[in-house]
Coordinates of all heavy atoms in Angstrom, one line a residue:
M1 N -10.2 25.1 -9.5 CA -9.8 23.7 -9.3 C -8.2 23.6 -9.2 O -7.6 24.2 -10.1 CB -10.3 22.9 -10.5 CG -10.1 21.4 -10.4 SD -11.0 20.7 -9.0 CE -10.5 19.0 -9.0
G2 N -7.7 23.0 -8.2 CA -6.3 23.0 -8.0 C -5.7 22.1 -9.1 O -6.3 21.3 -9.8
A3 N -4.4 22.3 -9.4 CA -3.7 21.5 -10.4 C -3.6 20.1 -9.9 O -3.8 19.8 -8.7 CB -2.2 22.0 -10.5
D4 N -3.4 19.2 -10.9 CA -3.3 17.8 -10.4 C -2.1 17.6 -9.5 O -1.1 18.2 -9.7 CB -3.1 16.9 -11.6 CG -4.4 16.5 -12.3 OD1 -5.4 16.9 -11.7 OD2 -4.3 16.0 -13.4
P5 N -2.3 16.9 -8.4 CA -1.2 16.7 -7.4 C -0.1 16.0 -8.1 O -0.3 15.0 -8.9 CB -1.8 16.0 -6.3 CG -3.0 15.3 -6.9 CD -3.5 16.1 -7.9
R6 N 1.1 16.4 -7.8 CA 2.3 15.7 -8.4 C 2.7 14.4 -7.6 O 2.6 14.4 -6.4 CB 3.5 16.7 -8.3 CG 3.3 17.9 -9.2 CD 4.5 18.8 -9.0 NE 5.8 18.1 -9.3 CZ 6.3 17.8 -10.4 NH1 5.6 18.1 -11.5 NH2 7.5 17.2 -10.6
R7 N 3.0 13.4 -8.3 CA 3.4 12.1 -7.7 C 4.7 12.3 -6.9 O 5.6 13.1 -7.3 CB 3.7 11.0 -8.7 CG 2.4 10.3 -9.1 CD 2.7 9.0 -9.8 NE 3.2 8.0 -8.9 CZ 3.0 6.7 -9.1 NH1 2.4 6.3 -10.3 NH2 3.4 5.8 -8.3
L8 N 4.8 11.6 -5.7 CA 6.0 11.6 -4.9 C 6.6 10.3 -5.0 O 5.9 9.2 -5.1 CB 5.6 11.9 -3.4 CG 5.1 13.3 -3.0 CD1 4.8 13.3 -1.6 CD2 6.2 14.4 -3.4
S9 N 8.0 10.2 -5.0 CA 8.7 8.9 -4.9 C 8.5 8.4 -3.5 O 8.2 9.2 -2.5 CB 10.2 9.1 -5.2 OG 10.8 9.9 -4.2
A10 N 8.7 7.2 -3.3 CA 8.6 6.6 -1.9 C 9.7 7.3 -1.0 O 9.3 7.6 0.1 CB 8.9 5.1 -2.0
A11 N 10.8 7.6 -1.5 CA 11.9 8.2 -0.7 C 11.4 9.6 -0.3 O 11.6 10.0 0.8 CB 13.2 8.3 -1.5
D12 N 10.9 10.4 -1.3 CA 10.4 11.7 -0.9 C 9.3 11.7 0.1 O 9.3 12.4 1.1 CB 9.8 12.4 -2.2 CG 10.9 12.8 -3.2 OD1 12.1 12.9 -2.7 OD2 10.6 13.1 -4.4
A13 N 8.4 10.7 -0.1 CA 7.3 10.6 0.9 C 7.9 10.2 2.3 O 7.5 10.8 3.3 CB 6.3 9.6 0.4
A14 N 8.8 9.3 2.3 CA 9.3 8.8 3.5 C 10.0 9.9 4.3 O 10.0 9.9 5.6 CB 10.3 7.6 3.3
A15 N 10.6 10.8 3.6 CA 11.3 12.0 4.2 C 10.3 13.0 4.9 O 10.7 13.8 5.7 CB 12.2 12.7 3.2
Q16 N 9.0 12.9 4.5 CA 8.1 13.9 4.9 C 7.0 13.4 5.9 O 6.3 14.2 6.5 CB 7.4 14.5 3.7 CG 8.3 15.2 2.7 CD 7.6 15.7 1.5 OE1 6.6 16.3 1.6 NE2 8.1 15.3 0.3
I17 N 6.9 12.1 6.1 CA 5.8 11.6 6.9 C 6.1 11.7 8.4 O 7.3 11.7 8.7 CB 5.4 10.1 6.5 CG1 6.7 9.2 6.5 CG2 4.7 10.1 5.1 CD1 6.4 7.8 6.2
P18 N 5.1 11.8 9.2 CA 5.3 12.0 10.6 C 5.7 10.6 11.3 O 5.6 9.6 10.7 CB 4.0 12.4 11.2 CG 3.0 12.1 10.2 CD 3.7 11.9 8.9
A19 N 6.2 10.7 12.5 CA 6.5 9.5 13.3 C 5.3 8.6 13.4 O 4.2 9.1 13.5 CB 7.0 10.0 14.7
G20 N 5.6 7.3 13.3 CA 4.5 6.4 13.4 C 3.9 6.0 12.1 O 3.1 5.0 12.0
W21 N 4.3 6.7 11.0 CA 3.9 6.3 9.7 C 5.0 5.6 8.9 O 6.1 5.8 9.2 CB 3.4 7.6 9.0 CG 2.1 8.1 9.4 CD1 1.8 8.8 10.6 CD2 0.8 8.0 8.8 NE1 0.5 9.1 10.7 CE2 -0.1 8.6 9.6 CE3 0.4 7.4 7.6 CZ2 -1.5 8.7 9.3 CZ3 -0.9 7.5 7.2 CH2 -1.9 8.1 8.1
R22 N 4.6 4.9 7.9 CA 5.5 4.2 7.0 C 5.0 4.2 5.6 O 3.8 4.4 5.4 CB 5.7 2.7 7.5 CG 4.4 1.9 7.5 CD 4.6 0.6 8.3 NE 3.4 -0.3 8.2 CZ 2.3 -0.1 8.9 NH1 2.2 0.9 9.8 NH2 1.3 -1.0 8.7
V23 N 6.0 4.0 4.7 CA 5.6 3.9 3.2 C 5.6 2.4 2.9 O 6.5 1.7 3.2 CB 6.7 4.6 2.4 CG1 6.3 4.5 0.9 CG2 6.8 6.1 2.7
D24 N 4.5 2.0 2.3 CA 4.3 0.6 1.9 C 3.9 0.7 0.4 O 2.7 0.7 0.0 CB 3.1 0.0 2.7 CG 2.8 -1.4 2.3 OD1 3.6 -2.0 1.5 OD2 1.8 -1.9 2.7
G25 N 4.9 0.7 -0.5 CA 4.7 0.8 -1.9 C 4.1 2.2 -2.2 O 4.7 3.2 -1.9
D26 N 2.9 2.2 -2.8 CA 2.2 3.5 -3.1 C 1.2 3.9 -2.0 O 0.3 4.7 -2.3 CB 1.4 3.3 -4.4 CG 2.3 3.3 -5.6 OD1 3.4 3.9 -5.6 OD2 1.9 2.7 -6.7
V27 N 1.4 3.4 -0.8 CA 0.5 3.7 0.3 C 1.3 4.1 1.5 O 2.3 3.6 1.9 CB -0.3 2.4 0.6 CG1 -1.4 2.7 1.7 CG2 -1.0 1.9 -0.6
L28 N 0.7 5.2 2.2 CA 1.2 5.6 3.5 C 0.4 4.9 4.6 O -0.9 4.9 4.4 CB 1.1 7.1 3.7 CG 1.8 8.0 2.7 CD1 1.7 9.4 3.2 CD2 3.3 7.6 2.6
R29 N 1.0 4.3 5.6 CA 0.2 3.5 6.6 C 0.6 3.9 8.0 O 1.7 4.2 8.3 CB 0.5 2.0 6.4 CG 0.0 1.4 5.1 CD 0.0 -0.1 5.1 NE -0.2 -0.6 3.8 CZ -1.5 -0.8 3.3 NH1 -2.5 -0.4 4.0 NH2 -1.6 -1.3 2.1
A30 N -0.4 3.9 8.9 CA -0.2 4.0 10.3 C -1.2 3.2 11.0 O -2.4 3.0 10.6 CB -0.3 5.5 10.8
D31 N -0.9 2.6 12.2 CA -1.8 1.8 13.0 C -1.8 2.5 14.4 O -0.8 2.5 15.1 CB -1.4 0.4 13.1 CG -1.4 -0.3 11.8 OD1 -2.5 -0.4 11.2 OD2 -0.3 -0.6 11.2
Y32 N -3.0 3.0 14.8 CA -3.1 3.7 16.0 C -3.9 2.8 17.0 O -4.9 2.2 16.7 CB -3.9 5.0 15.8 CG -3.2 6.1 15.1 CD1 -3.3 6.3 13.7 CD2 -2.2 6.9 15.7 CE1 -2.6 7.3 13.0 CE2 -1.5 7.8 15.1 CZ -1.7 8.0 13.7 OH -1.0 9.0 13.1
R33 N -3.3 2.8 18.3 CA -4.0 2.1 19.4 C -4.9 3.0 20.1 O -4.5 4.0 20.7 CB -2.9 1.5 20.3 CG -1.9 0.6 19.7 CD -1.0 0.0 20.8 NE 0.2 -0.6 20.2 CZ 0.2 -1.8 19.6 NH1 -1.0 -2.4 19.4 NH2 1.3 -2.3 19.1
T34 N -6.2 2.7 20.0 CA -7.2 3.6 20.6 C -7.7 3.1 22.0 O -8.3 3.8 22.8 CB -8.4 3.8 19.7 OG1 -8.9 2.4 19.4 CG2 -8.0 4.4 18.4
G35 N -7.5 1.8 22.2 CA -7.9 1.2 23.5 C -9.4 0.8 23.6 O -9.7 0.0 24.5
S36 N -10.2 1.3 22.8 CA -11.6 0.9 22.8 C -12.3 1.2 21.4 O -11.7 2.1 20.7 CB -12.4 1.6 23.9 OG -12.7 2.9 23.5
M37 N -13.4 0.6 21.2 CA -14.1 0.9 19.9 C -14.8 2.3 20.0 O -14.9 3.0 19.0 CB -15.1 -0.2 19.6 CG -15.4 -0.3 18.1 SD -15.6 -2.0 17.7 CE -15.3 -1.9 15.9
V38 N -15.2 2.7 21.2 CA -15.9 3.9 21.4 C -14.9 5.1 21.1 O -15.2 6.0 20.3 CB -16.5 4.1 22.8 CG1 -17.0 5.5 23.0 CG2 -17.6 3.0 23.0
R39 N -13.7 5.0 21.6 CA -12.7 6.0 21.4 C -12.2 6.0 20.0 O -12.0 7.0 19.3 CB -11.5 5.8 22.3 CG -10.6 6.9 22.6 CD -9.7 6.6 23.7 NE -8.8 7.6 24.1 CZ -7.5 7.2 24.5 NH1 -7.1 6.0 24.5 NH2 -6.7 8.2 24.9
G40 N -12.2 4.7 19.4 CA -11.8 4.6 18.0 C -12.8 5.3 17.1 O -12.4 5.9 16.1
L41 N -14.1 5.1 17.4 CA -15.1 5.8 16.6 C -15.0 7.3 16.6 O -15.1 8.0 15.6 CB -16.5 5.3 17.0 CG -17.7 5.9 16.2 CD1 -17.5 5.5 14.7 CD2 -19.0 5.4 16.8
A42 N -14.7 7.8 17.8 CA -14.5 9.3 17.9 C -13.3 9.7 17.0 O -13.3 10.7 16.4 CB -14.2 9.7 19.3
F43 N -12.2 8.9 17.0 CA -11.0 9.1 16.2 C -11.4 9.1 14.7 O -11.0 9.9 13.9 CB -9.9 8.2 16.6 CG -8.6 8.5 15.9 CD1 -8.2 9.8 15.6 CD2 -7.7 7.4 15.6 CE1 -6.9 10.0 15.1 CE2 -6.5 7.6 15.1 CZ -6.1 9.0 14.8
V44 N -12.2 8.1 14.3 CA -12.6 7.9 13.0 C -13.4 9.2 12.5 O -13.1 9.7 11.4 CB -13.5 6.6 12.8 CG1 -14.2 6.7 11.4 CG2 -12.6 5.4 12.8
Q45 N -14.3 9.7 13.4 CA -15.0 10.9 13.0 C -14.1 12.1 12.8 O -14.2 12.8 11.9 CB -16.0 11.2 14.2 CG -16.9 12.4 13.8 CD -17.7 12.3 12.6 OE1 -18.7 11.5 12.6 NE2 -17.4 13.0 11.5
A46 N -13.1 12.2 13.7 CA -12.1 13.3 13.5 C -11.3 13.1 12.2 O -11.1 14.1 11.5 CB -11.2 13.3 14.7
I47 N -11.0 11.9 11.9 CA -10.3 11.7 10.6 C -11.1 12.0 9.4 O -10.7 12.7 8.5 CB -9.8 10.2 10.6 CG1 -8.7 9.9 11.6 CG2 -9.3 9.8 9.2 CD1 -8.3 8.5 11.7
V48 N -12.4 11.6 9.5 CA -13.3 11.9 8.4 C -13.5 13.4 8.2 O -13.6 13.9 7.1 CB -14.7 11.1 8.6 CG1 -15.7 11.6 7.6 CG2 -14.4 9.6 8.4
D49 N -13.6 14.1 9.3 CA -13.8 15.6 9.3 C -12.6 16.2 8.6 O -12.7 17.1 7.7 CB -13.9 16.2 10.7 CG -15.3 15.8 11.3 OD1 -16.2 15.3 10.6 OD2 -15.4 16.0 12.6
A50 N -11.4 15.7 9.0 CA -10.1 16.2 8.3 C -10.1 15.8 6.8 O -9.7 16.7 6.0 CB -8.9 15.7 9.0
A51 N -10.5 14.6 6.5 CA -10.6 14.2 5.1 C -11.5 15.1 4.3 O -11.2 15.5 3.2 CB -11.0 12.7 5.0
E52 N -12.7 15.3 4.8 CA -13.6 16.2 4.1 C -13.1 17.6 3.9 O -13.2 18.2 2.8 CB -15.0 16.3 4.9 CG -15.8 15.0 4.8 CD -16.2 14.7 3.4 OE1 -17.0 15.4 2.9 OE2 -15.7 13.7 2.8
A53 N -12.4 18.1 4.9 CA -11.8 19.4 4.8 C -10.7 19.5 3.7 O -10.6 20.5 3.0 CB -11.2 19.9 6.2
A54 N -10.0 18.3 3.6 CA -8.9 18.3 2.7 C -9.4 17.8 1.3 O -8.7 18.0 0.3 CB -7.9 17.2 3.2
G55 N -10.6 17.3 1.2 CA -11.1 16.7 -0.1 C -10.2 15.5 -0.5 O -10.0 15.2 -1.7
H56 N -9.7 14.8 0.5 CA -8.8 13.7 0.3 C -9.1 12.7 1.4 O -9.2 13.0 2.5 CB -7.3 14.2 0.3 CG -6.4 13.2 -0.2 ND1 -6.3 12.9 -1.6 CD2 -5.4 12.4 0.3 CE1 -5.4 12.0 -1.8 NE2 -4.8 11.7 -0.6
H57 N -9.2 11.4 1.0 CA -9.8 10.4 1.9 C -9.0 9.2 2.1 O -8.5 8.6 1.1 CB -11.2 10.1 1.4 CG -12.1 11.3 1.2 ND1 -12.0 12.1 0.1 CD2 -13.0 11.8 2.1 CE1 -12.9 13.1 0.3 NE2 -13.5 13.0 1.4
P58 N -8.9 8.7 3.4 CA -8.1 7.5 3.7 C -9.0 6.3 3.5 O -10.2 6.3 3.5 CB -7.7 7.7 5.1 CG -8.9 8.4 5.7 CD -9.4 9.4 4.6
D59 N -8.3 5.1 3.5 CA -8.9 3.8 3.7 C -8.7 3.5 5.2 O -7.6 3.7 5.7 CB -8.3 2.7 2.9 CG -8.5 3.0 1.4 OD1 -9.4 3.7 1.0 OD2 -7.6 2.5 0.6
L60 N -9.8 3.2 5.9 CA -9.7 2.9 7.4 C -10.0 1.5 7.7 O -11.0 0.9 7.2 CB -10.7 3.9 8.1 CG -10.4 5.4 7.9 CD1 -11.5 6.2 8.7 CD2 -9.0 5.7 8.5
D61 N -9.2 1.0 8.7 CA -9.5 -0.4 9.2 C -9.9 -0.2 10.7 O -9.0 0.0 11.5 CB -8.2 -1.2 9.1 CG -8.4 -2.7 9.6 OD1 -9.4 -2.9 10.3 OD2 -7.6 -3.5 9.3
F62 N -11.2 -0.1 10.9 CA -11.7 0.3 12.3 C -12.0 -1.0 13.1 O -12.9 -1.7 12.7 CB -12.9 1.1 12.0 CG -13.7 1.5 13.3 CD1 -13.1 1.8 14.4 CD2 -15.1 1.5 13.2 CE1 -13.8 2.2 15.6 CE2 -15.8 1.9 14.3 CZ -15.2 2.2 15.5
R63 N -11.2 -1.2 14.2 CA -11.4 -2.4 15.0 C -11.5 -2.1 16.5 O -11.2 -1.0 16.8 CB -10.2 -3.4 14.8 CG -9.9 -3.8 13.3 CD -8.8 -4.8 13.2 NE -8.6 -5.1 11.8 CZ -7.9 -6.2 11.4 NH1 -7.5 -7.1 12.2 NH2 -7.7 -6.4 10.1
Y64 N -11.8 -3.1 17.3 CA -11.7 -2.9 18.7 C -10.3 -2.6 19.1 O -9.4 -3.4 18.9 CB -12.2 -4.1 19.5 CG -12.1 -4.0 21.0 CD1 -13.1 -3.4 21.7 CD2 -10.9 -4.4 21.6 CE1 -13.0 -3.2 23.1 CE2 -10.8 -4.2 23.0 CZ -11.8 -3.7 23.7 OH -11.7 -3.5 25.1
G65 N -10.0 -1.4 19.6 CA -8.7 -1.1 20.1 C -7.7 -0.5 19.1 O -6.7 0.1 19.6
T66 N -8.0 -0.6 17.9 CA -7.0 0.0 16.9 C -7.8 0.6 15.7 O -8.9 0.2 15.4 CB -6.1 -1.1 16.3 OG1 -6.8 -2.0 15.5 CG2 -5.2 -1.8 17.3
V67 N -7.1 1.6 15.1 CA -7.6 2.2 13.8 C -6.4 2.2 12.9 O -5.4 2.8 13.2 CB -8.2 3.6 14.0 CG1 -8.5 4.2 12.6 CG2 -9.4 3.6 14.9
G68 N -6.5 1.4 11.8 CA -5.5 1.4 10.8 C -5.8 2.5 9.7 O -7.0 2.6 9.3
V69 N -4.9 3.2 9.3 CA -5.1 4.3 8.3 C -4.2 4.0 7.1 O -3.0 3.7 7.3 CB -4.8 5.7 8.9 CG1 -5.2 6.8 7.9 CG2 -5.5 5.9 10.2
A70 N -4.7 4.1 5.9 CA -4.0 3.9 4.7 C -4.3 5.1 3.7 O -5.5 5.5 3.6 CB -4.3 2.6 4.0
L71 N -3.3 5.7 3.2 CA -3.4 6.9 2.3 C -2.7 6.7 1.0 O -1.5 6.3 1.0 CB -2.9 8.1 3.0 CG -3.7 8.8 4.1 CD1 -2.9 9.8 4.9 CD2 -4.9 9.5 3.5
T72 N -3.4 6.9 -0.1 CA -2.8 6.9 -1.4 C -3.7 7.8 -2.3 O -4.9 8.1 -1.9 CB -2.7 5.5 -2.1 OG1 -1.8 5.6 -3.2 CG2 -4.0 4.9 -2.4
T73 N -3.2 8.4 -3.4 CA -4.0 9.2 -4.2 C -4.5 8.4 -5.4 O -3.7 8.1 -6.4 CB -3.1 10.5 -4.7 OG1 -2.7 11.2 -3.5 CG2 -4.0 11.4 -5.5
H74 N -5.7 8.0 -5.3 CA -6.3 7.1 -6.4 C -6.2 7.8 -7.8 O -6.0 7.1 -8.7 CB -7.8 6.8 -6.0 CG -7.9 6.2 -4.6 ND1 -7.4 5.0 -4.3 CD2 -8.4 6.7 -3.5 CE1 -7.7 4.7 -3.1 NE2 -8.3 5.7 -2.5
D75 N -6.4 9.1 -7.8 CA -6.5 9.8 -9.1 C -5.2 9.7 -9.9 O -5.2 9.8 -11.1 CB -6.8 11.3 -8.9 CG -8.2 11.5 -8.4 OD1 -9.1 10.5 -8.5 OD2 -8.6 12.6 -8.0
V76 N -4.1 9.5 -9.2 CA -2.8 9.4 -9.9 C -2.2 8.0 -9.8 O -1.1 7.7 -10.3 CB -1.8 10.5 -9.5 CG1 -2.3 11.9 -9.6 CG2 -1.3 10.2 -8.1
G77 N -2.8 7.2 -8.9 CA -2.3 5.8 -8.7 C -1.0 5.8 -8.0 O -0.1 4.9 -8.3
G78 N -0.8 6.7 -7.1 CA 0.4 6.7 -6.3 C 0.4 7.7 -5.2 O -0.7 8.2 -4.8
L79 N 1.5 8.1 -4.6 CA 1.6 9.0 -3.5 C 1.8 10.4 -4.0 O 2.5 10.7 -5.0 CB 2.8 8.6 -2.6 CG 2.7 7.3 -1.9 CD1 4.0 7.0 -1.1 CD2 1.5 7.4 -0.9
T80 N 1.1 11.4 -3.4 CA 1.2 12.8 -3.6 C 1.3 13.5 -2.3 O 1.1 13.0 -1.2 CB 0.0 13.3 -4.4 OG1 -1.1 13.3 -3.5 CG2 -0.3 12.5 -5.7
E81 N 1.5 14.9 -2.5 CA 1.6 15.7 -1.3 C 0.3 15.7 -0.5 O 0.3 16.0 0.7 CB 2.1 17.1 -1.6 CG 1.1 17.9 -2.4 CD 1.3 17.8 -3.9 OE1 2.0 16.8 -4.3 OE2 0.8 18.6 -4.6
L82 N -0.8 15.4 -1.2 CA -2.1 15.3 -0.5 C -2.1 14.2 0.6 O -2.6 14.4 1.7 CB -3.2 15.1 -1.5 CG -3.4 16.1 -2.5 CD1 -4.4 15.7 -3.6 CD2 -3.9 17.4 -1.9
D83 N -1.4 13.1 0.3 CA -1.3 12.0 1.2 C -0.5 12.4 2.4 O -0.8 12.2 3.6 CB -0.7 10.8 0.5 CG -1.6 10.3 -0.6 OD1 -2.8 10.1 -0.4 OD2 -1.1 10.2 -1.8
V84 N 0.7 13.0 2.1 CA 1.6 13.5 3.2 C 0.9 14.5 4.1 O 0.9 14.4 5.3 CB 2.9 14.1 2.6 CG1 3.7 14.7 3.7 CG2 3.7 13.0 1.9
A85 N 0.2 15.5 3.5 CA -0.5 16.5 4.3 C -1.6 15.9 5.2 O -1.7 16.3 6.3 CB -1.1 17.5 3.4
L86 N -2.3 15.0 4.7 CA -3.4 14.4 5.5 C -2.8 13.5 6.6 O -3.3 13.4 7.7 CB -4.4 13.6 4.6 CG -5.6 13.1 5.4 CD1 -6.3 14.2 6.2 CD2 -6.6 12.4 4.4
A87 N -1.7 12.8 6.3 CA -1.0 12.0 7.3 C -0.6 12.9 8.4 O -0.7 12.5 9.6 CB 0.2 11.2 6.7
R88 N 0.0 14.0 8.1 CA 0.4 15.0 9.1 C -0.7 15.5 10.0 O -0.7 15.6 11.2 CB 1.2 16.1 8.5 CG 2.5 15.8 8.0 CD 3.2 17.0 7.3 NE 4.6 16.8 7.1 CZ 5.3 17.6 6.5 NH1 4.8 18.8 6.0 NH2 6.6 17.4 6.3
R89 N -1.9 15.7 9.3 CA -3.0 16.2 10.0 C -3.6 15.2 11.0 O -3.9 15.4 12.1 CB -4.1 16.7 9.0 CG -5.4 17.2 9.7 CD -5.1 18.5 10.5 NE -6.3 18.9 11.3 CZ -6.2 19.2 12.6 NH1 -5.1 19.1 13.2 NH2 -7.3 19.5 13.2
I90 N -3.6 13.9 10.5 CA -4.1 12.8 11.3 C -3.1 12.6 12.5 O -3.6 12.4 13.7 CB -4.2 11.5 10.5 CG1 -5.4 11.7 9.5 CG2 -4.4 10.3 11.4 CD1 -5.5 10.6 8.5
A91 N -1.8 12.7 12.3 CA -0.9 12.6 13.4 C -1.1 13.7 14.4 O -0.9 13.4 15.6 CB 0.5 12.6 12.8
E92 N -1.4 14.9 14.0 CA -1.7 16.0 14.9 C -3.0 15.6 15.8 O -3.0 16.0 17.0 CB -2.0 17.3 14.2 CG -0.8 17.9 13.6 CD -1.2 19.1 12.6 OE1 -2.4 19.3 12.5 OE2 -0.3 19.8 12.1
L93 N -4.0 15.0 15.2 CA -5.2 14.7 15.9 C -5.0 13.5 16.8 O -5.7 13.4 17.9 CB -6.3 14.3 14.9 CG -6.8 15.4 14.0 CD1 -7.6 14.9 12.8 CD2 -7.6 16.4 14.8
A94 N -4.1 12.6 16.5 CA -4.0 11.3 17.2 C -3.9 11.4 18.7 O -4.6 10.6 19.4 CB -2.9 10.5 16.6
P95 N -3.1 12.3 19.3 CA -2.9 12.2 20.7 C -4.2 12.4 21.5 O -4.3 11.8 22.6 CB -2.0 13.4 21.0 CG -1.2 13.6 19.7 CD -2.2 13.2 18.6
G96 N -5.2 13.0 21.0 CA -6.4 13.1 21.7 C -7.3 11.9 21.7 O -8.3 11.8 22.4
Y97 N -6.9 10.8 20.9 CA -7.7 9.6 20.8 C -6.9 8.3 21.0 O -7.5 7.2 20.9 CB -8.3 9.6 19.4 CG -9.1 10.8 19.1 CD1 -8.6 11.9 18.4 CD2 -10.5 10.9 19.5 CE1 -9.3 13.0 18.2 CE2 -11.2 12.1 19.2 CZ -10.6 13.1 18.5 OH -11.3 14.3 18.3
T98 N -5.6 8.4 21.2 CA -4.8 7.2 21.1 C -3.9 7.0 22.3 O -3.5 8.0 22.9 CB -4.0 7.1 19.8 OG1 -3.1 8.2 19.8 CG2 -4.9 7.2 18.6
N99 N -3.4 5.8 22.5 CA -2.4 5.5 23.4 C -1.0 5.6 22.8 O 0.0 6.0 23.4 CB -2.6 4.1 24.0 CG -4.0 3.9 24.5 OD1 -4.6 4.9 25.0 ND2 -4.5 2.7 24.4
S100 N -0.9 5.0 21.5 CA 0.4 5.0 20.9 C 0.2 4.6 19.4 O -0.9 4.3 19.0 CB 1.3 4.0 21.5 OG 0.8 2.7 21.2
T101 N 1.2 4.6 18.6 CA 1.1 4.1 17.3 C 2.1 2.9 17.3 O 3.0 2.8 18.0 CB 1.6 5.1 16.2 OG1 3.0 5.4 16.5 CG2 0.8 6.3 16.2
S102 N 1.8 2.0 16.3 CA 2.8 0.9 16.1 C 3.2 1.0 14.6 O 2.3 0.7 13.7 CB 2.2 -0.5 16.4 OG 1.0 -0.6 15.6
A103 N 4.3 1.5 14.3 CA 4.7 1.7 12.9 C 4.8 0.3 12.2 O 5.1 -0.7 12.8 CB 5.9 2.5 12.8
Ligands
H2B201 C1 -13.8 14.7 -6.7 C2 -13.0 14.3 -5.5 O1 -12.3 15.5 -5.0 C3 -11.9 13.3 -5.9 O2 -12.5 12.1 -6.3 C4 -11.0 13.0 -4.6 C5 -11.8 12.5 -3.4 N1 -10.9 11.9 -2.4 C6 -9.8 11.3 -2.8 N2 -9.1 10.6 -1.9 C7 -8.0 9.9 -2.3 N3 -7.3 9.2 -1.4 N4 -7.6 9.9 -3.6 C8 -8.2 10.5 -4.5 O3 -7.8 10.5 -5.7 C9 -9.4 11.3 -4.2 N5 -10.0 12.1 -5.1

């Protein structure tokens, strides 16, 4: 069992998150434009696969044309490197499913 993830300050997190992401208090957020619900669902599946692989899970706002992603570490009540790592993984996946992000 890995050690408990260490909390990150908002500034530390902000320095590590990929383009298109922002820090909103104890939450990392990104809004991805997918253009359709069908493409958005495929993106959601890819995000869920990555979350399962990481053992760390986002809150998703799945709509026609957009997928909103929110990441925080519930176990510590704040941001950790687990959030940053999954944000980076989602940002790597995004080009295959999206037109752009709106930070
Ligand atoms: C047992 C399981 O690994 C934990 O409950 C994980 C699951 N996914 C999680 N996801 C997020 N975002 N925060 C957590 O604290 C968390 N804990």
Side-chain angles (χ1 to χ4, degrees):
M1 188 61 184
D4 278 349
R6 294 176 53 77
R7 274 195 76 150
L8 292 176
S9 68
D12 287 341
Q16 299 176 48
I17 52 178
W21 286 75
R22 63 194 183 276
V23 179
D24 178 13
D26 283 335
V27 182
L28 303 183
R29 296 190 188 281
D31 298 295
Y32 288 101
R33 299 184 196 287
T34 57
S36 77
M37 205 142 201
V38 172
R39 201 170 179 215
L41 182 58
F43 188 31
V44 165
Q45 181 63 67
I47 291 171
V48 169
D49 291 345
E52 287 296 295
H56 195 69
H57 304 83
D59 298 333
L60 298 177
D61 182 345
F62 172 38
R63 302 184 185 199
Y64 176 86
T66 62
V67 174
V69 189
L71 283 164
T72 192
T73 302
H74 304 293
D75 291 347
V76 306
L79 291 174
T80 69
E81 68 269 16
L82 298 172
D83 300 306
V84 173
L86 187 53
R88 287 179 168 175
R89 180 65 187 129
I90 291 168
E92 287 171 356
L93 293 167
Y97 303 94
T98 62
N99 307 327
S100 68
T101 61
S102 56

